[in-house]
Amino acid sequence: MSTTLQASLLDLIRRTSSDLPADIREAMERGRAVEMKDSRALMALDTIDCNIATAAAESAPICQDTGMIKFYVHYPIGYDTLTFEDTARAAVAEATAIGYLRQNSVDSITGKNTGNNLGPGTPQFHFQAWRNPTVDVRLMLKGGGCENVGAQYSLPTELKEIGKKAGRDIEGVKLVVLDAVWKAQGKGCAPGYIGVCIGSDRAHGLEMAKEQLLRTIGDSNPDESLNALETEITRICNGLGIGPMGFGGNTSLLGCKVTSQNRLPASFFVSVSYACWAHRRRGITLNPTTDEITGWLYEEATQELALH
């Protein structure tokens, strides 16, 4: 294993766990600006703001649930991904011992905590080769509360609570996404940030929805129809009155990011991945030869991500 790579990944884990990226911070500030003085919504956002500042200053976890650890790695052809995995696991164990990560990996049969965040399925790795000369590493720490309110719909479907049927069209997509956000309420630690996948199969649709959460709030979808859908869903959700932590108010959703994937004629899935206000995702670029950090991602509020 490379000690330089382990140090680089340890620093990535530390910053991801303790320091929210610029786009999430700015979106939270915009939320504070539109909430009424002395309201429960503004009180909740002020408390969250203090938490964000303290966590960053002390390199302490923003949330006690430091989440499922997910590495997304794009690498040049010939890069040793097996060594990367081994080194990343060592960095995760070290980060857990230091306190950057909570002991958060539990055996699903026995209920026993591994104590170091290592075990079958933790951490998770998503590798994809590309023709760029650098290694691009993005880390997402996805909390259990927001993961619990993710959703998947098979269209057409009856939405009994609102007495409507969601069909196999954009309006149907919009209805089920709004249904997912409404059902999340404060259980997902609003204001949330959602990724949506229209189409694909069940497993890949959920994964693609989650990948949309790697996009920054201020970016633009290159597909004009999807860009308009993202804007409209965000606007409508912020008019639902859910508000921060479900206390009511004008800030229910920080943003919505949508992708469309081809599907089989017999299936029409809409998958929704929900992230809480503590949307912890950071990224670095690495020199593939020296393993040194050559740049930090998500340093600006608007950043176009072209990974594929």
Side-chain angles (χ1 to χ4, degrees), residues 134-202:
T134 60
V135 180
D136 181 302
V137 183
R138 295 166 198 260
L139 174 62
M140 185 186 303
L141 302 178
K142 186 74 161 57
C146 61
E147 185 70 4
N148 289 345
V149 296
Q152 188 175 70
Y153 298 82
S154 179
L155 303 185
T157 187
E158 296 286 345
L159 301 175
K160 295 180 181 180
E161 291 185 5
I162 60 174
K164 290 187 177 183
K165 182 177 182 178
R168 291 185 163 194
D169 52 26
I170 288 295
E171 285 304 309
V173 170
K174 192 188 309 178
L175 279 174
V176 295
V177 174
L178 294 175
D179 182 69
V181 174
W182 178 254
K183 287 178 177 176
Q185 293 281 322
K187 292 179 289 185
C189 292
Y193 184 47
I194 60 172
V196 178
C197 177
I198 305 169
S200 193
D201 61 10
R202 284 190 182 275

Short mmCIF file of all heavy atoms in Angstrom, two decimals, residues 134-202:
data_model
loop_
_atom_site.label_atom_id
_atom_site.label_comp_id
_atom_site.label_asym_id
_atom_site.label_seq_id
_atom_site.Cartn_x
_atom_site.Cartn_y
_atom_site.Cartn_z
N THR A 134 -5.47 11.73 -15.09
CA THR A 134 -5.53 11.85 -13.64
C THR A 134 -6.54 10.88 -13.05
O THR A 134 -7.40 10.33 -13.74
CB THR A 134 -5.92 13.28 -13.21
OG1 THR A 134 -7.22 13.58 -13.76
CG2 THR A 134 -4.91 14.29 -13.72
N VAL A 135 -6.43 10.68 -11.74
CA VAL A 135 -7.40 9.89 -10.98
C VAL A 135 -8.37 10.86 -10.31
O VAL A 135 -7.95 11.80 -9.63
CB VAL A 135 -6.71 9.01 -9.93
CG1 VAL A 135 -7.74 8.20 -9.15
CG2 VAL A 135 -5.69 8.09 -10.58
N ASP A 136 -9.66 10.65 -10.52
CA ASP A 136 -10.71 11.49 -9.95
C ASP A 136 -11.43 10.67 -8.89
O ASP A 136 -12.02 9.63 -9.19
CB ASP A 136 -11.68 11.92 -11.06
CG ASP A 136 -12.80 12.83 -10.57
OD1 ASP A 136 -13.56 12.42 -9.67
OD2 ASP A 136 -12.95 13.94 -11.12
N VAL A 137 -11.35 11.11 -7.63
CA VAL A 137 -11.95 10.37 -6.52
C VAL A 137 -13.03 11.24 -5.86
O VAL A 137 -12.73 12.36 -5.41
CB VAL A 137 -10.90 9.99 -5.45
CG1 VAL A 137 -11.55 9.15 -4.35
CG2 VAL A 137 -9.74 9.24 -6.09
N ARG A 138 -14.24 10.73 -5.83
CA ARG A 138 -15.32 11.43 -5.14
C ARG A 138 -15.84 10.54 -4.02
O ARG A 138 -16.02 9.34 -4.21
CB ARG A 138 -16.43 11.81 -6.12
CG ARG A 138 -15.93 12.81 -7.15
CD ARG A 138 -16.85 12.98 -8.33
NE ARG A 138 -16.11 13.59 -9.42
CZ ARG A 138 -16.16 14.89 -9.73
NH1 ARG A 138 -16.91 15.71 -9.02
NH2 ARG A 138 -15.45 15.36 -10.74
N LEU A 139 -16.06 11.15 -2.89
CA LEU A 139 -16.50 10.42 -1.71
C LEU A 139 -17.85 10.96 -1.26
O LEU A 139 -18.03 12.17 -1.14
CB LEU A 139 -15.48 10.56 -0.58
CG LEU A 139 -15.87 9.96 0.78
CD1 LEU A 139 -16.08 8.47 0.69
CD2 LEU A 139 -14.80 10.30 1.83
N MET A 140 -18.79 10.06 -1.06
CA MET A 140 -20.10 10.42 -0.52
C MET A 140 -20.33 9.66 0.78
O MET A 140 -20.12 8.44 0.83
CB MET A 140 -21.22 10.10 -1.52
CG MET A 140 -22.60 10.57 -1.08
SD MET A 140 -23.94 10.01 -2.20
CE MET A 140 -23.43 10.67 -3.76
N LEU A 141 -20.71 10.38 1.83
CA LEU A 141 -21.08 9.77 3.10
C LEU A 141 -22.59 9.91 3.23
O LEU A 141 -23.10 10.98 3.55
CB LEU A 141 -20.35 10.45 4.26
CG LEU A 141 -18.81 10.43 4.20
CD1 LEU A 141 -18.22 11.18 5.38
CD2 LEU A 141 -18.28 9.00 4.14
N LYS A 142 -23.30 8.81 2.98
CA LYS A 142 -24.76 8.86 2.84
C LYS A 142 -25.43 8.33 4.10
O LYS A 142 -25.38 7.14 4.40
CB LYS A 142 -25.17 8.02 1.62
CG LYS A 142 -26.64 8.07 1.24
CD LYS A 142 -27.00 9.39 0.59
CE LYS A 142 -28.30 9.30 -0.20
NZ LYS A 142 -29.46 8.85 0.58
N GLY A 143 -26.05 9.23 4.85
CA GLY A 143 -26.65 8.89 6.14
C GLY A 143 -27.85 7.96 6.02
O GLY A 143 -28.55 7.93 5.00
N GLY A 144 -28.12 7.21 7.10
CA GLY A 144 -29.20 6.24 7.10
C GLY A 144 -30.58 6.87 7.10
O GLY A 144 -31.51 6.35 6.49
N GLY A 145 -30.74 8.01 7.79
CA GLY A 145 -32.06 8.64 7.84
C GLY A 145 -32.56 9.05 6.48
O GLY A 145 -33.71 8.79 6.11
N CYS A 146 -31.69 9.71 5.70
CA CYS A 146 -32.11 10.14 4.37
C CYS A 146 -32.20 8.95 3.42
O CYS A 146 -33.04 8.93 2.51
CB CYS A 146 -31.19 11.22 3.83
SG CYS A 146 -29.46 10.76 3.62
N GLU A 147 -31.34 7.94 3.62
CA GLU A 147 -31.41 6.74 2.77
C GLU A 147 -32.74 6.01 2.98
O GLU A 147 -33.31 5.46 2.04
CB GLU A 147 -30.24 5.81 3.09
CG GLU A 147 -30.14 4.60 2.19
CD GLU A 147 -29.74 4.91 0.76
OE1 GLU A 147 -29.45 6.08 0.44
OE2 GLU A 147 -29.73 3.96 -0.04
N ASN A 148 -33.26 6.05 4.20
CA ASN A 148 -34.51 5.36 4.51
C ASN A 148 -35.70 5.92 3.74
O ASN A 148 -36.69 5.21 3.53
CB ASN A 148 -34.81 5.44 6.01
CG ASN A 148 -33.88 4.58 6.83
OD1 ASN A 148 -33.18 3.72 6.32
ND2 ASN A 148 -33.85 4.83 8.13
N VAL A 149 -35.65 7.19 3.34
CA VAL A 149 -36.80 7.80 2.66
C VAL A 149 -36.61 7.84 1.14
O VAL A 149 -37.42 8.46 0.44
CB VAL A 149 -37.11 9.21 3.21
CG1 VAL A 149 -37.52 9.14 4.66
CG2 VAL A 149 -35.91 10.15 3.04
N GLY A 150 -35.57 7.21 0.64
CA GLY A 150 -35.47 7.05 -0.80
C GLY A 150 -36.64 6.21 -1.29
O GLY A 150 -37.29 5.48 -0.52
N ALA A 151 -36.92 6.26 -2.59
CA ALA A 151 -38.12 5.58 -3.09
C ALA A 151 -37.93 5.15 -4.54
O ALA A 151 -37.09 5.68 -5.26
CB ALA A 151 -39.33 6.50 -2.98
N GLN A 152 -38.72 4.15 -4.92
CA GLN A 152 -38.75 3.73 -6.33
C GLN A 152 -40.20 3.41 -6.70
O GLN A 152 -40.91 2.74 -5.94
CB GLN A 152 -37.86 2.51 -6.56
CG GLN A 152 -37.71 2.14 -8.03
CD GLN A 152 -36.73 1.00 -8.23
OE1 GLN A 152 -37.01 -0.13 -7.86
NE2 GLN A 152 -35.56 1.31 -8.82
N TYR A 153 -40.60 3.91 -7.85
CA TYR A 153 -41.97 3.72 -8.33
C TYR A 153 -41.95 2.99 -9.67
O TYR A 153 -41.04 3.19 -10.47
CB TYR A 153 -42.67 5.06 -8.53
CG TYR A 153 -42.81 5.87 -7.26
CD1 TYR A 153 -41.75 6.66 -6.80
CD2 TYR A 153 -44.00 5.90 -6.55
CE1 TYR A 153 -41.86 7.43 -5.64
CE2 TYR A 153 -44.13 6.67 -5.39
CZ TYR A 153 -43.06 7.43 -4.95
OH TYR A 153 -43.19 8.18 -3.81
N SER A 154 -42.96 2.15 -9.89
CA SER A 154 -43.14 1.49 -11.17
C SER A 154 -44.40 2.07 -11.80
O SER A 154 -45.51 1.89 -11.27
CB SER A 154 -43.29 -0.03 -10.98
OG SER A 154 -43.48 -0.68 -12.23
N LEU A 155 -44.22 2.80 -12.91
CA LEU A 155 -45.35 3.47 -13.55
C LEU A 155 -46.01 2.56 -14.59
O LEU A 155 -45.32 1.79 -15.26
CB LEU A 155 -44.88 4.77 -14.21
CG LEU A 155 -44.18 5.79 -13.30
CD1 LEU A 155 -43.88 7.06 -14.07
CD2 LEU A 155 -45.00 6.08 -12.07
N PRO A 156 -47.35 2.66 -14.73
CA PRO A 156 -48.25 3.56 -14.01
C PRO A 156 -48.53 3.07 -12.58
O PRO A 156 -48.41 1.88 -12.30
CB PRO A 156 -49.52 3.51 -14.85
CG PRO A 156 -49.51 2.14 -15.46
CD PRO A 156 -48.06 1.84 -15.72
N THR A 157 -48.87 4.00 -11.71
CA THR A 157 -49.18 3.64 -10.33
C THR A 157 -50.21 4.58 -9.75
O THR A 157 -50.27 5.76 -10.12
CB THR A 157 -47.90 3.66 -9.46
OG1 THR A 157 -48.20 3.14 -8.17
CG2 THR A 157 -47.34 5.07 -9.30
N GLU A 158 -51.03 4.06 -8.86
CA GLU A 158 -52.03 4.86 -8.18
C GLU A 158 -51.43 5.49 -6.94
O GLU A 158 -50.83 4.80 -6.11
CB GLU A 158 -53.24 3.99 -7.77
CG GLU A 158 -54.01 3.39 -8.93
CD GLU A 158 -54.86 4.41 -9.67
OE1 GLU A 158 -55.08 5.52 -9.11
OE2 GLU A 158 -55.31 4.10 -10.79
N LEU A 159 -51.58 6.80 -6.81
CA LEU A 159 -51.14 7.52 -5.62
C LEU A 159 -52.40 7.80 -4.79
O LEU A 159 -53.05 8.83 -4.94
CB LEU A 159 -50.41 8.81 -6.02
CG LEU A 159 -49.17 8.60 -6.90
CD1 LEU A 159 -48.60 9.95 -7.34
CD2 LEU A 159 -48.11 7.79 -6.17
N LYS A 160 -52.72 6.86 -3.92
CA LYS A 160 -54.01 6.89 -3.23
C LYS A 160 -54.18 8.09 -2.32
O LYS A 160 -55.28 8.61 -2.15
CB LYS A 160 -54.19 5.59 -2.44
CG LYS A 160 -54.26 4.36 -3.33
CD LYS A 160 -54.44 3.09 -2.51
CE LYS A 160 -54.49 1.86 -3.42
NZ LYS A 160 -54.66 0.60 -2.65
N GLU A 161 -53.06 8.55 -1.72
CA GLU A 161 -53.17 9.66 -0.76
C GLU A 161 -53.64 10.95 -1.43
O GLU A 161 -54.26 11.79 -0.79
CB GLU A 161 -51.83 9.89 -0.07
CG GLU A 161 -51.45 8.75 0.87
CD GLU A 161 -50.17 9.05 1.64
OE1 GLU A 161 -49.65 10.18 1.50
OE2 GLU A 161 -49.69 8.17 2.37
N ILE A 162 -53.30 11.11 -2.70
CA ILE A 162 -53.71 12.34 -3.40
C ILE A 162 -54.78 12.05 -4.45
O ILE A 162 -55.24 12.96 -5.13
CB ILE A 162 -52.51 13.04 -4.07
CG1 ILE A 162 -51.84 12.12 -5.09
CG2 ILE A 162 -51.51 13.49 -3.02
CD1 ILE A 162 -50.73 12.82 -5.87
N GLY A 163 -55.18 10.79 -4.57
CA GLY A 163 -56.25 10.43 -5.48
C GLY A 163 -55.90 10.63 -6.95
O GLY A 163 -56.78 10.99 -7.76
N LYS A 164 -54.63 10.39 -7.32
CA LYS A 164 -54.23 10.57 -8.70
C LYS A 164 -53.47 9.35 -9.20
O LYS A 164 -52.89 8.59 -8.41
CB LYS A 164 -53.36 11.82 -8.86
CG LYS A 164 -54.11 13.12 -8.68
CD LYS A 164 -53.23 14.32 -9.03
CE LYS A 164 -54.01 15.62 -8.91
NZ LYS A 164 -53.19 16.80 -9.30
N LYS A 165 -53.46 9.19 -10.51
CA LYS A 165 -52.70 8.12 -11.14
C LYS A 165 -51.51 8.72 -11.88
O LYS A 165 -51.66 9.64 -12.67
CB LYS A 165 -53.58 7.34 -12.13
CG LYS A 165 -52.86 6.17 -12.78
CD LYS A 165 -53.80 5.39 -13.68
CE LYS A 165 -53.11 4.19 -14.30
NZ LYS A 165 -54.03 3.38 -15.14
N ALA A 166 -50.33 8.20 -11.58
CA ALA A 166 -49.12 8.65 -12.27
C ALA A 166 -48.90 7.77 -13.48
O ALA A 166 -48.69 6.55 -13.35
CB ALA A 166 -47.92 8.58 -11.33
N GLY A 167 -48.94 8.36 -14.66
CA GLY A 167 -48.79 7.60 -15.89
C GLY A 167 -47.35 7.58 -16.37
O GLY A 167 -46.44 8.14 -15.75
N ARG A 168 -47.14 6.95 -17.51
CA ARG A 168 -45.80 6.81 -18.07
C ARG A 168 -45.45 8.03 -18.94
O ARG A 168 -45.29 7.93 -20.17
CB ARG A 168 -45.72 5.53 -18.90
CG ARG A 168 -45.79 4.27 -18.07
CD ARG A 168 -45.58 3.02 -18.92
NE ARG A 168 -45.25 1.87 -18.10
CZ ARG A 168 -44.77 0.73 -18.57
NH1 ARG A 168 -44.56 0.57 -19.86
NH2 ARG A 168 -44.50 -0.27 -17.75
N ASP A 169 -45.35 9.17 -18.28
CA ASP A 169 -44.99 10.40 -18.97
C ASP A 169 -44.34 11.35 -17.97
O ASP A 169 -44.21 11.02 -16.79
CB ASP A 169 -46.22 11.05 -19.63
CG ASP A 169 -47.39 11.24 -18.66
OD1 ASP A 169 -47.14 11.35 -17.43
OD2 ASP A 169 -48.54 11.26 -19.10
N ILE A 170 -43.93 12.52 -18.44
CA ILE A 170 -43.25 13.49 -17.56
C ILE A 170 -44.13 13.90 -16.39
O ILE A 170 -43.65 14.06 -15.26
CB ILE A 170 -42.77 14.72 -18.36
CG1 ILE A 170 -41.60 14.35 -19.26
CG2 ILE A 170 -42.36 15.85 -17.42
CD1 ILE A 170 -40.35 13.95 -18.50
N GLU A 171 -45.43 14.07 -16.64
CA GLU A 171 -46.33 14.45 -15.55
C GLU A 171 -46.39 13.35 -14.50
O GLU A 171 -46.45 13.62 -13.30
CB GLU A 171 -47.73 14.76 -16.10
CG GLU A 171 -47.82 16.08 -16.82
CD GLU A 171 -47.38 17.25 -15.97
OE1 GLU A 171 -47.88 17.37 -14.82
OE2 GLU A 171 -46.55 18.05 -16.43
N GLY A 172 -46.37 12.09 -14.94
CA GLY A 172 -46.35 10.99 -14.00
C GLY A 172 -45.07 10.95 -13.19
O GLY A 172 -45.09 10.70 -11.99
N VAL A 173 -43.95 11.22 -13.86
CA VAL A 173 -42.66 11.30 -13.18
C VAL A 173 -42.70 12.38 -12.10
O VAL A 173 -42.29 12.17 -10.95
CB VAL A 173 -41.52 11.58 -14.18
CG1 VAL A 173 -40.22 11.91 -13.44
CG2 VAL A 173 -41.33 10.39 -15.11
N LYS A 174 -43.21 13.53 -12.49
CA LYS A 174 -43.28 14.66 -11.55
C LYS A 174 -44.12 14.30 -10.32
O LYS A 174 -43.73 14.59 -9.18
CB LYS A 174 -43.88 15.88 -12.26
CG LYS A 174 -43.74 17.18 -11.50
CD LYS A 174 -44.54 18.29 -12.17
CE LYS A 174 -44.21 18.40 -13.64
NZ LYS A 174 -45.03 19.46 -14.31
N LEU A 175 -45.25 13.63 -10.55
CA LEU A 175 -46.13 13.28 -9.44
C LEU A 175 -45.45 12.36 -8.43
O LEU A 175 -45.56 12.56 -7.22
CB LEU A 175 -47.41 12.61 -9.97
CG LEU A 175 -48.50 13.53 -10.51
CD1 LEU A 175 -49.62 12.71 -11.14
CD2 LEU A 175 -49.07 14.41 -9.40
N VAL A 176 -44.74 11.34 -8.91
CA VAL A 176 -44.15 10.39 -7.96
C VAL A 176 -42.96 11.01 -7.23
O VAL A 176 -42.72 10.68 -6.06
CB VAL A 176 -43.75 9.07 -8.65
CG1 VAL A 176 -45.00 8.35 -9.15
CG2 VAL A 176 -42.75 9.26 -9.77
N VAL A 177 -42.22 11.90 -7.90
CA VAL A 177 -41.11 12.57 -7.20
C VAL A 177 -41.65 13.46 -6.09
O VAL A 177 -41.13 13.46 -4.96
CB VAL A 177 -40.24 13.38 -8.19
CG1 VAL A 177 -39.20 14.18 -7.43
CG2 VAL A 177 -39.57 12.45 -9.19
N LEU A 178 -42.70 14.18 -6.39
CA LEU A 178 -43.32 15.03 -5.36
C LEU A 178 -43.88 14.18 -4.23
O LEU A 178 -43.80 14.55 -3.05
CB LEU A 178 -44.43 15.89 -5.98
CG LEU A 178 -43.98 16.93 -7.00
CD1 LEU A 178 -45.19 17.62 -7.63
CD2 LEU A 178 -43.08 17.97 -6.35
N ASP A 179 -44.43 13.03 -4.57
CA ASP A 179 -44.95 12.11 -3.55
C ASP A 179 -43.83 11.64 -2.63
O ASP A 179 -44.00 11.58 -1.41
CB ASP A 179 -45.59 10.90 -4.25
CG ASP A 179 -46.21 9.92 -3.27
OD1 ASP A 179 -47.21 10.27 -2.63
OD2 ASP A 179 -45.67 8.80 -3.14
N ALA A 180 -42.67 11.34 -3.21
CA ALA A 180 -41.53 10.89 -2.40
C ALA A 180 -41.06 11.97 -1.44
O ALA A 180 -40.77 11.70 -0.27
CB ALA A 180 -40.38 10.46 -3.32
N VAL A 181 -40.97 13.20 -1.92
CA VAL A 181 -40.54 14.31 -1.07
C VAL A 181 -41.57 14.58 0.03
O VAL A 181 -41.21 14.82 1.20
CB VAL A 181 -40.30 15.58 -1.90
CG1 VAL A 181 -39.99 16.78 -1.00
CG2 VAL A 181 -39.15 15.37 -2.89
N TRP A 182 -42.84 14.52 -0.32
CA TRP A 182 -43.89 14.76 0.67
C TRP A 182 -43.87 13.71 1.78
O TRP A 182 -43.99 14.02 2.95
CB TRP A 182 -45.25 14.77 -0.02
CG TRP A 182 -46.40 14.96 0.94
CD1 TRP A 182 -47.30 14.03 1.36
CD2 TRP A 182 -46.74 16.18 1.63
NE1 TRP A 182 -48.18 14.57 2.25
CE2 TRP A 182 -47.87 15.89 2.44
CE3 TRP A 182 -46.22 17.47 1.63
CZ2 TRP A 182 -48.47 16.86 3.23
CZ3 TRP A 182 -46.83 18.43 2.43
CH2 TRP A 182 -47.94 18.12 3.21
N LYS A 183 -43.67 12.45 1.39
CA LYS A 183 -43.63 11.38 2.37
C LYS A 183 -42.38 11.46 3.26
O LYS A 183 -42.40 11.03 4.41
CB LYS A 183 -43.70 10.02 1.68
CG LYS A 183 -45.07 9.70 1.12
CD LYS A 183 -45.07 8.35 0.41
CE LYS A 183 -46.48 8.00 -0.09
NZ LYS A 183 -46.48 6.73 -0.86
N ALA A 184 -41.30 12.00 2.72
CA ALA A 184 -40.07 12.14 3.51
C ALA A 184 -40.26 13.10 4.67
O ALA A 184 -39.77 12.86 5.78
CB ALA A 184 -38.92 12.60 2.63
N GLN A 185 -40.98 14.22 4.42
CA GLN A 185 -41.22 15.24 5.44
C GLN A 185 -39.94 15.53 6.22
O GLN A 185 -38.89 15.74 5.65
CB GLN A 185 -42.36 14.78 6.36
CG GLN A 185 -43.70 14.70 5.67
CD GLN A 185 -44.40 16.03 5.49
OE1 GLN A 185 -44.35 16.92 6.35
NE2 GLN A 185 -45.07 16.19 4.36
N GLY A 186 -40.02 15.50 7.56
CA GLY A 186 -38.84 15.77 8.37
C GLY A 186 -37.99 14.54 8.64
O GLY A 186 -36.89 14.65 9.19
N LYS A 187 -38.49 13.36 8.22
CA LYS A 187 -37.76 12.12 8.50
C LYS A 187 -36.44 12.05 7.74
O LYS A 187 -35.52 11.33 8.14
CB LYS A 187 -38.64 10.91 8.14
CG LYS A 187 -39.85 10.75 9.04
CD LYS A 187 -40.69 9.56 8.64
CE LYS A 187 -41.42 9.79 7.34
NZ LYS A 187 -42.34 8.67 7.01
N GLY A 188 -36.35 12.77 6.63
CA GLY A 188 -35.12 12.79 5.85
C GLY A 188 -34.21 13.94 6.20
O GLY A 188 -33.26 14.22 5.48
N CYS A 189 -34.50 14.63 7.32
CA CYS A 189 -33.71 15.79 7.75
C CYS A 189 -33.69 16.87 6.67
O CYS A 189 -32.64 17.22 6.13
CB CYS A 189 -32.30 15.39 8.17
SG CYS A 189 -32.26 14.39 9.66
N ALA A 190 -34.88 17.37 6.35
CA ALA A 190 -35.01 18.45 5.37
C ALA A 190 -34.32 19.72 5.89
O ALA A 190 -34.17 19.89 7.09
CB ALA A 190 -36.50 18.73 5.11
N PRO A 191 -33.89 20.59 4.96
CA PRO A 191 -34.10 20.55 3.51
C PRO A 191 -33.23 19.51 2.82
O PRO A 191 -32.04 19.39 3.11
CB PRO A 191 -33.76 21.97 3.05
CG PRO A 191 -32.80 22.49 4.08
CD PRO A 191 -33.23 21.87 5.37
N GLY A 192 -33.86 18.76 1.91
CA GLY A 192 -33.16 17.69 1.23
C GLY A 192 -32.60 18.10 -0.11
O GLY A 192 -32.77 19.23 -0.58
N TYR A 193 -31.92 17.15 -0.71
CA TYR A 193 -31.34 17.32 -2.05
C TYR A 193 -31.56 15.99 -2.73
O TYR A 193 -31.11 14.95 -2.22
CB TYR A 193 -29.85 17.65 -1.91
CG TYR A 193 -29.12 17.94 -3.22
CD1 TYR A 193 -29.66 18.80 -4.15
CD2 TYR A 193 -27.88 17.36 -3.49
CE1 TYR A 193 -28.98 19.09 -5.33
CE2 TYR A 193 -27.20 17.64 -4.66
CZ TYR A 193 -27.75 18.51 -5.58
OH TYR A 193 -27.08 18.78 -6.75
N ILE A 194 -32.27 15.95 -3.86
CA ILE A 194 -32.66 14.66 -4.42
C ILE A 194 -32.06 14.41 -5.79
O ILE A 194 -31.87 15.31 -6.59
CB ILE A 194 -34.20 14.51 -4.49
CG1 ILE A 194 -34.83 15.60 -5.36
CG2 ILE A 194 -34.80 14.50 -3.08
CD1 ILE A 194 -36.33 15.36 -5.62
N GLY A 195 -31.75 13.15 -6.02
CA GLY A 195 -31.34 12.66 -7.32
C GLY A 195 -32.42 11.74 -7.85
O GLY A 195 -33.00 10.95 -7.10
N VAL A 196 -32.72 11.85 -9.14
CA VAL A 196 -33.81 11.09 -9.75
C VAL A 196 -33.31 10.41 -11.01
O VAL A 196 -32.58 11.02 -11.80
CB VAL A 196 -35.01 12.01 -10.11
CG1 VAL A 196 -36.11 11.22 -10.80
CG2 VAL A 196 -35.54 12.72 -8.88
N CYS A 197 -33.69 9.16 -11.19
CA CYS A 197 -33.43 8.45 -12.45
C CYS A 197 -34.76 8.03 -13.05
O CYS A 197 -35.55 7.34 -12.41
CB CYS A 197 -32.53 7.24 -12.24
SG CYS A 197 -32.25 6.30 -13.76
N ILE A 198 -34.99 8.45 -14.28
CA ILE A 198 -36.16 8.01 -15.05
C ILE A 198 -35.72 6.85 -15.93
O ILE A 198 -34.85 7.00 -16.77
CB ILE A 198 -36.71 9.16 -15.93
CG1 ILE A 198 -37.03 10.40 -15.08
CG2 ILE A 198 -37.95 8.71 -16.69
CD1 ILE A 198 -37.31 11.64 -15.92
N GLY A 199 -36.32 5.66 -15.70
CA GLY A 199 -36.01 4.52 -16.54
C GLY A 199 -34.98 3.59 -15.93
O GLY A 199 -34.81 3.52 -14.73
N SER A 200 -34.29 2.83 -16.80
CA SER A 200 -33.34 1.78 -16.45
C SER A 200 -34.08 0.63 -15.75
O SER A 200 -35.31 0.55 -15.78
CB SER A 200 -32.19 2.32 -15.59
OG SER A 200 -31.15 1.36 -15.52
N ASP A 201 -33.33 -0.29 -15.12
CA ASP A 201 -33.96 -1.35 -14.35
C ASP A 201 -33.95 -0.96 -12.87
O ASP A 201 -33.50 0.14 -12.51
CB ASP A 201 -33.29 -2.70 -14.59
CG ASP A 201 -31.81 -2.72 -14.17
OD1 ASP A 201 -31.35 -1.75 -13.53
OD2 ASP A 201 -31.12 -3.71 -14.49
N ARG A 202 -34.42 -1.85 -12.01
CA ARG A 202 -34.55 -1.47 -10.60
C ARG A 202 -33.21 -1.11 -9.96
O ARG A 202 -33.06 -0.04 -9.37
CB ARG A 202 -35.20 -2.62 -9.81
CG ARG A 202 -36.68 -2.76 -10.02
CD ARG A 202 -37.28 -3.74 -9.02
NE ARG A 202 -38.71 -3.91 -9.23
CZ ARG A 202 -39.65 -3.11 -8.73
NH1 ARG A 202 -39.29 -2.06 -8.01
NH2 ARG A 202 -40.93 -3.36 -8.95
#
